[in-house]
Structure formats: C-alpha cells, structure tokens
C-alpha cells in the first residue's frame, strides 16, 4: 500500500481536521467524532444532514455550506457512522423547522441514521429522511438490499438544500428530495481498485486489460468484468442501462461525470465528449453538466455517469446559490 | 498503459471537445486547434491568455471565464502549443486595452508565446507577458532554464484576471501579475508517475517504497529520491524549502494544496492538516486555503504546496468574483 498518510489509524481524524482547517469559513467540527457542521448555523430553515463512511471525499463534508448540507457525519473508511455520532449532528443543526436526513442506501447507513432519528425525536426534534438508490447496475449487493445510493446523491444535497435555504417546510424539502431520488440514475465502472487503509490491500484485483462494469463506490462487484474497451464503448454500455431505466425521452437532464478519486480529468472529459453526443443523438437536452470528483472511492480509477431528469422546479433549485467547499453555484 | 481513452492520437482533441461540451455557458472552441475562449467575449478590459501542454487539467481551459482567463491554448500532452495557435487565441480575445500572456517558465512555452506576441503586434495588438517560476525545487531542469512555473500560476490567473475584470490597464494588470509571481513559491512530490499517452510508458519509475521530492509537473526529476515517509515529514521537507526562499514571517498567505491528478482528496486533506499546523507554529497567518486539483500531471499521484505572500491588493483580488468551470469565488 503506497499512500500519503501518517498512520492507518489516524487517516479519518487527520483528514477531517485537515478539511476543517482548510475551510474555517464554511466548516466547524463537533467534539464527538468526525461530524462537521456549517460554521454559521442558520435558524429558521429545515436543516439537512448526510454522511456515511469516509473515503468518498469531497462527500460529504465538502458539501456543507449555504444552499446544501448543514451537517455531514463521517464514519471510518467505508463504514457507517454510529447512531450516536449522527444524533449529535442532528442536535447541533436542528431548528424548529425540523431535520431532513439524506441517506445513501447501504444497510448500515440506513439502520444507523434511523436509530439516530429515533433518538432525536425523543428530544422533540422532527426528523424525516430520504434514501438515495440511484445505481442501476445491480439489485442487492455486498452491503445493500435494493439499489445502492451513489453519486446521484449529490444532486439531492444540492436541490433539497436549495429548497430548504428558500424557507420551505420539512414536507416540501422531503418531497423535492424524493423527486430527485425518483428521477436520477447512475452507473459506474473502474479500471483500478482502491485500498482501504486499515486493510492494506486492494478490495479486488483487475488484470492489466480488465475493467469492472457496474462497480459500487466501495469497490463492490458490479454486473460483470470485461476486457478494457475504448472510452466511447464503455460510455455506451453504461448509458444504455441508465437510459433504459426511466424514460428520459424529450426531457432535459443534468449530467454528472463523476471521477472515482484517481481518474484524471483528461479521461472524464473524453467520457463527457461521448455522453454529450449520445444524448444529443437521442434528443435528450443537457441542461447542465458537472465533471469532476463528487463521490469518490479513495484512489479508485474509474467514473460514473448520473442523469437527472429535470422539471422546472429542479432546474431552478439546481441553479440556486450554493457556497460550499466543493460545490459552488 | 491502462487509461479510459479512445485512441492515443485523439486524446487532446476529444478532451478539449468534451470540456467545451460540458461548459458551453463558459467556453467556446476556436477552429484552429485546441484553443478555448470565453463564450461571452468581454470588450473594454485587458484580455488574459495562458496555456501550455495538455495534461494539466483543469489548467488551463478550466480557468477560462469571468474574472480569470479569456483564452487558454492547449498543445499536445506536455508539449507547447504552436505560435500560430497562440496567435489565433490572442486575436480572438484582443481588445483595445491589450492582452496579457501568463506563461509558465518552460523554454518551449516562453519561446512560442513570445513569437505569437510578435505576430500579434504586427497586427497592432499590444501584448505583454509575465513568466511564472514558482517552483523552488530546482534551478534549470529538463525543459527549463531557471525555475519552473507550476501550480502557483493559478494564483496569477486569479489575481491578474480579477484586476483586468475591474478595468485596470495593461501595465497595471501586468504589474499585479508580476507581484504574484514575485510572492508565490511552490514545491511538490510524487509517489506514482504519469504516462504520456503517446509514449505509453511512465516517464520515470519509483519503487513501492520510494518517492520523488521536488518533482515537476511533467514528471521531471526533482531534488532527490527518498524512501516514502509519513505525510507530516514530507510536508515538513517541502515547506522548509518553500519558507526558506522568501521571507514569509508575519505575512498572511494563501495556501494551495494541489493534487497531481490521481491523489485522493483524503491525502490532500491530511497534508493540509500538517501545513496548517506548521504555519500556525511559525506565526504565518493563513488567509485562505485551496485544496484540490488545479495543475495536474495526468494521473501522477503526489501533491504540491504553494504559498502566496499576500498584501491588501492581492487579498481583495483573490476574493473577487470568479466564475469559471474549475474555479469559482
């Protein structure tokens, strides 16, 4: 394992501390583990909390700030944060308008966020949640019943965060978050695995000419392993499955080409070159494109394509001001 | 070589086209090779142009937009753009207030930008330039006489771009660009090389427990090769050299922790954790920190630390509005 770290058991703490030191204008760390909250707590709005295992940076701490999240809770690498941690996060950000939890569909995350919500409700805090499950690759997998929540989650943060910032009530924020969940689909692939620091060895092995199609954000297996193909063919394979899942015909979409952590931007732009062409051929209008690292898997090399089918409300909220370390609009 | 591309000879074109397709609200591509300009040409201001070889994404096309660059010219990977290309870029953006070229100190870049300027001046366009040379690692190297221009160049784009956007004249924009050059220093390291697609093999080899200190942004050798150390020790080594080069005592600084292309954000934040502590110990106040990929070397894994010594003018210009694909303020 070759990494720029100090010690395996300090990775998460030093990372989160380093993030908060980089962005004191946005972030504040609580004293109860790796929970970051907005430096300027905003009252009178629904508060949003998300999180999960570490290793997905900039998710989720990088999306804490105006117009997106109010708190992000980070567990150990690829491991759910504890209910206690999440509960502390909820308490720190709760307002009288309530709290929305945005949870990626992994069994541990869903369970722990729900337990935290129950604890908070005993304190009189109203908590609702949505579960993201945008990955069309596989039903059920290593750590999930049903589909996995992956990069499309960032669109939920953005759009529900904007709705909350505008003063909507909890039901309205939850409804628009659920609308994003219902309209976003993602599929990914990788050519190089990642190494969980505490494990020290790759989660899977790929031959020099192999790729894994449909991979999850923790390196969970996907639909199949295949010989490495040209970028355009890979895009076609992923898009075919995404486009078959809901009816995008005649729609406007937001596109996210998400790098897995070690993928050069050069490759992501080559991917977008094809994505853009295929969507144009199919008469699907691209409203806005996002290319970069949003939901990574440490140093995995690969990418995912997310397509969000937009309506006027989602377009407006997507464009609304956001000011966070990793997402500005 | 394992990359997500279509063909070695199409990498640059498909990348730039994919970038422009992602960001039509910001970018327009000229019909003369890989030259991108602002989608909305702004008259009445000094126009800024920069560029160099491809492989440094998001530099330089990602910094084209309001408050930064007006044009970016991209040669083949790690190879200077031609004088003709640069000349076309200059002509496309020139206003009656003149053009400033921001050139990284590589012999080919400097020569070709200067030739382009001469061609433009024969058309009556006033062109001035600055040469960035922020890398303190080595004097003279594979492709450079004097010090190399590396990630600190992005601060020149930001600050000179803001000055131009405010309506300053060419001498003023050049002066503040030069002030940034005079006050920014950088040093980098790598634990994994990059592969130029047309070459197909890494530019250098590193053992499983080795790192290269002082590396350039094309994988040029640095000061020395060493056994891989803990992140904090690496930071101390780089910072010692940066801090010894100009007097940062009592200053406020902007910090850039720049990833080389394949470095997980996790590692960059661990690096910043130490950088922040060392600067605090030395009484150097951090005004703002930037962590991410700004000036990469395809899929090299490593990072650089840039410190810009600020005055009030540079602080104001650093904070001024910027709206580009890869840098928003």
């Amino acid at each position: 394992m070759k990494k720029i770290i100090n010690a395996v058991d300090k990775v998460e703490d030093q990372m989160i501390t380093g993030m908060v030191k980089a962005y004191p204008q946005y972030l504040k760390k609580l004293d109860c583990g790796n929970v970051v909250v907005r430096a300027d707590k905003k009252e009178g709005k629904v508060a949003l909390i998300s999180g999960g295992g570490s290793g997905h940076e900039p998710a989720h701490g990088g999306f804490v700030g105006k117009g997106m999240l109010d708190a992000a809770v980070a567990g150990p690498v690829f491991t759910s944060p504890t209910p206690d941690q999440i509960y502390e996060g909820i308490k720190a950000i709760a307002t009288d308008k309530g709290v929305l939890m945005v949870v990626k569909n992994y069994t541990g995350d869903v369970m722990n966020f729900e337990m935290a919500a129950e604890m908070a409700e005993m304190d009189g805090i109203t908590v609702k949640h949505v579960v993201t499950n945008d990955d069309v690759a596989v039903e059920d997998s290593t750590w999930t019943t049903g589909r996995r929540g992956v990069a499309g989650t960032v669109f939920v943060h953005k759009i529900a965060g904007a709705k909350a910032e505008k003063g909507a009530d909890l039901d309205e924020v939850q409804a628009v978050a659920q609308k994003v969940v219902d309209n976003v689909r993602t599929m990914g692939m990788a050519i190089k695995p990642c190494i969980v620091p505490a494990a020290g060895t790759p989660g899977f092995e790929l031959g020099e000419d192999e790729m894994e199609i449909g991979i999850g954000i923790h390196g969970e297996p996907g639909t199949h392993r295949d010989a490495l193909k040209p970028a355009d063919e890979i895009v076609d394979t992923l898009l075919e499955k995404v486009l078959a899942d809901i009816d995008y015909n005649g729609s406007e979409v937001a596109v996210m080409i998400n790098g897995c952590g070690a993928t050069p931007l050069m490759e992501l732009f080559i991917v977008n070159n094809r994505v853009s062409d295929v969507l144009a051929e199919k008469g699907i209008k691209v409203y806005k494109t996002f290319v970069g690292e949003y939901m990574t898997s440490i140093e995995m090399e690969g990418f995912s394509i997310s397509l969000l089918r937009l309506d006027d409300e989602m377009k407006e909220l997507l464009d609304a001001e956001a000011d966070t370390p990793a997402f500005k609009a």
Side-chain angles (χ1 to χ4, degrees), chain A:
Chain A
M1 177 172 73
K2 196 171 188 181
K3 287 178 186 279
I4 302 168
I5 61 176
N6 289 300
V8 163
D9 60 354
K10 292 190 175 133
V11 162
E12 294 89 345
D13 289 355
Q14 294 186 337
M15 169 180 66
I16 295 289
T17 310
M19 184 190 280
V20 173
K21 286 176 186 168
Y23 305 117
Q25 70 273 46
Y26 294 108
L27 304 178
K28 208 168 59 179
K29 186 177 171 306
L30 301 186
D31 292 327
C32 56
N34 289 320
V35 183
V36 298
V37 299
R38 272 171 77 159
D40 57 329
K41 179 176 173 176
K42 193 169 171 199
E43 297 290 348
K45 70 177 269 296
V46 172
L48 268 76
I49 184 168
S50 191
S54 291
H56 304 302
E57 297 68 35
H60 298 82
F63 303 128
V64 171
K66 185 173 182 185
M68 291 184 79
L69 301 177
D70 296 276
V73 188
V77 171
F78 296 170
T79 302
S80 291
T82 64
D84 281 348
Q85 260 184 294
I86 303 166
Y87 168 60
E88 293 297 333
I90 291 172
K91 280 198 298 185
I93 62 169
T95 70
D96 55 9
K97 297 197 82 167
V99 174
L100 182 74
M101 307 189 302
V102 180
V103 188
K104 298 194 301 303
N105 189 33
Y106 294 94
T107 305
D109 284 359
V110 173
M111 193 171 68
N112 290 357
F113 272 87
E114 285 180 352
M115 284 175 64
E118 285 170 24
M119 293 159 75
E121 281 170 346
M122 287 193 280
D123 292 344
I125 302 170
T126 309
V127 183
K128 300 205 171 189
H129 73 276
V130 294
V131 176
T132 67
N133 59 354
D134 50 312
D135 189 348
V136 300
V138 291
E139 283 290 334
D140 305 333
S141 59
T142 317
W143 295 294
T144 317
T145 305
R147 287 178 171 182
R148 303 174 294 213
V150 291
T153 307
V154 180
F155 284 132
V156 182
H157 297 158
K158 174 67 188 79
I159 288 174
K163 188 81 180 177
E165 200 78 37
K166 284 178 189 293
D169 66 28
L170 183 55
D171 284 339
E172 292 170 325
V173 177
Q174 184 190 33
V176 82
Q178 187 59 48
K179 185 158 70 170
V180 178
V181 172
D182 293 342
N183 284 281
V184 66
R185 298 292 186 274
T186 299
M187 188 155 158
M189 62 79 67
I191 62 173
K192 206 196 74 184
C194 58
I195 300 179
V196 175
T201 53
F204 60 100
E205 301 276 357
L206 280 174
E208 184 53 34
D209 58 352
E210 284 183 322
M211 62 179 175
E212 179 82 22
I213 296 287
I215 201 156
I217 57 172
H218 315 94
E220 312 94 302
T223 55
H224 62 289
R225 190 160 293 194
D226 202 348
L228 181 59
K229 299 272 179 22
D232 287 359
E233 285 183 45
I234 300 170
V235 166
D236 291 354
T237 300
L238 301 187
L239 267 186
E240 192 184 347
K241 200 140 181 195
V242 169
L243 291 171
D245 203 73
I246 54 176
D247 184 6
Y248 286 97
N249 283 333
S251 303
E252 281 189 85
V253 295
V255 176
M256 180 174 286
I257 312 295
N258 173 59
C260 297
T263 319
L265 268 173
M266 171 185 279
E267 297 177 14
L268 298 181
F269 285 125
I270 288 172
V271 164
N272 186 60
N273 186 52
R274 179 66 179 179
V275 171
S276 174
D277 286 352
V278 173
L279 296 179
E281 279 162 24
K282 293 189 184 294
I284 298 168
K285 191 176 167 206
V286 176
Y287 181 70
K288 204 172 255 192
T289 302
F290 301 85
V291 179
E293 297 186 335
Y294 295 91
M295 182 71 73
T296 64
S297 306
I298 324 177
E299 78 279 56
M300 191 156 84
E301 187 173 347
F303 67 95
S304 62
I305 305 170
S306 300
L307 294 187
L308 169 62
R309 189 171 58 177
L310 293 163
D311 63 9
D312 287 343
E313 182 189 28
M314 286 189 277
K315 281 199 267 187
E316 186 194 329
L317 294 169
L318 187 63
D319 290 343
E321 188 190 352
D323 188 17
T324 74
F327 198 116
K328 292 181 173 65

